[in-house]
Amino acid sequence: MDKENLTNYRPISHLSFLSKLAERAVKQRLTDYLSSNNLLNSYQSAYIKSHSTETTLLSVHDHIIKALSLQRVTCLTLLDLSAAFDTIDHSILLERLSSWFGITSTALSWIKSYLLQRSFYVNIDGSKSSSYQLLYGVPQGSVLGPLLFILYTTPLSTVISNSSALHQLYADDTQLFISFSAADFAHNITHLEQTISNVSDWMSSNFLSLNPSKTEFIIIGLPQQLKKLVSPVIHLPNGVTLSPVSSARNLGVIFDCNFSFSEHISSVSKSCFYHIRDLRRIRNTIDLTTARTVAASIIHSKLDYCNSLFLNLPATQTNRLQLVLNAAARAVTKTPKLHHISPILKSLHWLKINQRIQYKVISLTHKSLHSGRPSYLRTLLCVNHARSTRSSSLITLTRPTNKSSLKITNRSFCLAAPALWNSLPSEMRQKSYSSSPKSALHSSPFDISPSVFHKRLKTYLFDLSFPP
């Protein structure tokens, strides 16, 4: 970012260790209370256990794939807020905690004392500004601040749910999307514009503000459907008009208008090869263990980020990621370029790209079945409650009926995940039988622990990557 542009700077509060320790204890108790009473916003995925940017994107991805399989287009609007954490009104937040979440008495008094009568000053190279009273916002860099922010914005989902548009939230990133036939663009875009207007009005009344300069609008569809749209635009409040972009970065993943992820894979490949070249330069000065650690932390993290979205992509795309993994393996082991790569990957115990994608999808499926969260993924999975047979002791998923003959349908999570899950060995899908109905409510549905499950999953997929 431009260092001379002051809007690129964000204030971070310098908080003491004891302050953060107290915040962590309050956050833990507050989160337990909200979770046990089912008070957390089911559309908000930030700062909540079992939720992540990947689960958020996977939910949006599944909806878009379903729309593409029905030859519909999807209008996706990525709304951005201006300094969202700094403009929270304390009185509104405290009233909301009381009326929406039932936080009263001593707990509410503690949060009130935490928020009010704060002041700050800026210290740059020993030069201090005058002290200023903080009348709004939550401390940036605090432990409790992010949780208070998502509680503050919980009513936003109610506002959006009253419209025909769908949405997902991740902290202050709001995604609005609606799917329809290309012939019905004008009618449906009006609904989307009205929803954005309602969101803007709600934000204004809650001292939040949309940032039109960073708000993006993309239309995703099959090429033949996109051609039917003539000069599509969307009108934001305050007279701002947005034209659709060909691609947009959404929580770190580049969505393109044809949903091919070609641009994202190009970006990931470019970044990874940059680090692989650096690794080659220092490889002679570090041992094999250190080189493997560097590759796993820098390169694998980029390859595996949100890779569940790549399930059943055309081989032309996944092969590009495999080339990156192969190059990383050669850099780590100092293997010549023309040397056969499979034995090298096997010696490093690295899964190939397709199996890494399957590992992530199956892992997310297991977590959703295990904890029931996130609810927006759990509702996509239907457990087959079969009659008492030999296979009734296994957790089996029912695959929804595929109403489309298009290949892109196979990329849907709700269609692909059951097939992958049901192909697992029976010992990994064994049901757990509790001794009492009461204890069964709080126990895992699986006969093995999550750690054992993932170890067996890695072994199972490793055998698929490198068959005997």
Side-chain angles (χ1 to χ4, degrees), residues 54 58 306-312 354-368 377 381 397 411-421 453 457 461:
E54 183 154 16
L58 190 57
C306 292
N307 63 342
S308 60
L309 308 182
F310 308 151
L311 182 64
N312 293 331
N354 285 331
Q355 280 68 47
R356 298 177 86 91
I357 295 171
Q358 292 174 14
Y359 181 93
K360 182 66 73 62
V361 172
I362 295 172
S363 177
L364 290 172
T365 302
H366 176 268
K367 290 177 181 178
S368 295
L377 286 189
L381 302 172
L397 299 181
R411 291 168 54 187
S412 168
F413 176 79
C414 69
L415 286 175
L420 286 175
W421 177 264
F453 174 86
L457 177 59
L461 293 175

Side-chain angles (χ1 to χ4, degrees), residues 12-243:
I12 301 297
S13 300
H14 185 66
L15 303 173
S16 67
F17 170 76
L18 287 178
S19 169
K20 290 191 174 184
L21 195 63
E23 286 184 67
R24 188 168 296 278
V26 173
K27 179 190 175 185
Q28 184 62 52
R29 296 189 64 177
L30 182 56
T31 302
D32 290 343
Y33 163 76
L34 295 169
S35 299
S36 60
N37 291 280
N38 199 28
L39 295 173
L40 289 168
N41 183 3
S42 60
Y43 296 99
Q44 176 64 262
S45 298
Y47 321 118
I48 301 175
K49 187 177 180 181
S50 300
H51 296 63
S52 64
T53 54
E54 183 154 16
T55 61
T56 303
L57 292 177
L58 190 57
S59 175
V60 177
H61 174 273
D62 190 76
H63 174 86
I64 294 175
I65 291 295
K66 288 177 182 176
L68 290 171
S69 66
L70 297 174
Q71 302 198 37
R72 296 180 176 179
V73 297
T74 300
C75 289
L76 174 64
T77 307
L78 306 175
L79 303 180
D80 186 80
L81 301 184
S82 300
F85 282 66
D86 299 329
T87 59
I88 291 176
D89 184 88
H90 294 159
S91 60
I92 294 177
L93 173 58
L94 293 171
E95 190 279 331
R96 193 155 290 158
L97 292 175
S98 174
S99 60
W100 277 72
F101 303 101
I103 300 172
T104 58
S105 189
T106 305
L108 188 64
S109 298
W110 189 95
I111 296 175
K112 183 177 181 179
S113 67
Y114 169 80
L115 291 172
L116 303 183
Q117 297 182 351
R118 281 185 176 271
S119 60
F120 82 101
Y121 64 88
V122 178
N123 185 347
I124 301 178
D125 294 333
S127 299
K128 297 181 179 179
S129 69
S130 56
S131 182
Y132 185 82
Q133 196 74 18
L134 280 174
L135 303 178
Y136 301 94
V138 293
Q140 292 272 18
S142 65
V143 176
L144 195 56
L147 178 59
L148 293 177
F149 174 80
I150 66 172
L151 297 181
Y152 184 82
T153 56
T154 292
L156 179 58
S157 284
T158 303
V159 173
I160 300 174
S161 297
N162 291 331
S163 70
S164 56
L166 302 175
H167 73 289
Q168 283 288 345
L169 307 174
Y170 194 89
D172 58 341
D173 289 313
T174 303
Q175 303 184 48
L176 295 178
F177 49 99
I178 185 171
S179 300
F180 47 83
S181 171
D184 297 330
F185 176 83
H187 174 71
N188 285 276
I189 208 67
T190 301
H191 284 290
L192 184 58
E193 290 173 344
Q194 183 60 49
T195 303
I196 296 174
S197 177
N198 293 339
V199 169
S200 180
D201 291 342
W202 182 89
M203 288 182 175
S204 297
S205 63
N206 286 270
F207 296 91
L208 300 173
S209 176
L210 281 177
N211 186 354
S213 63
K214 292 186 177 180
T215 295
E216 293 186 293
F217 169 55
I218 183 171
I219 303 176
I220 301 171
L222 301 175
Q224 58 270 31
Q225 299 300 323
L226 293 178
K227 290 179 181 178
K228 298 178 181 179
L229 304 178
V230 180
S231 301
V233 294
I234 189 170
H235 301 282
L236 299 181
N238 302 324
V240 177
T241 300
L242 284 183
S243 297

Side-chain angles (χ1 to χ4, degrees), residues 393 395 429-435 440 443-448:
S393 61
I395 296 178
R429 299 187 289 121
Q430 197 74 28
K431 287 181 181 178
S432 173
Y433 293 95
S434 179
S435 58
S443 62
S444 168
F446 295 96
D447 192 43
I448 56 176

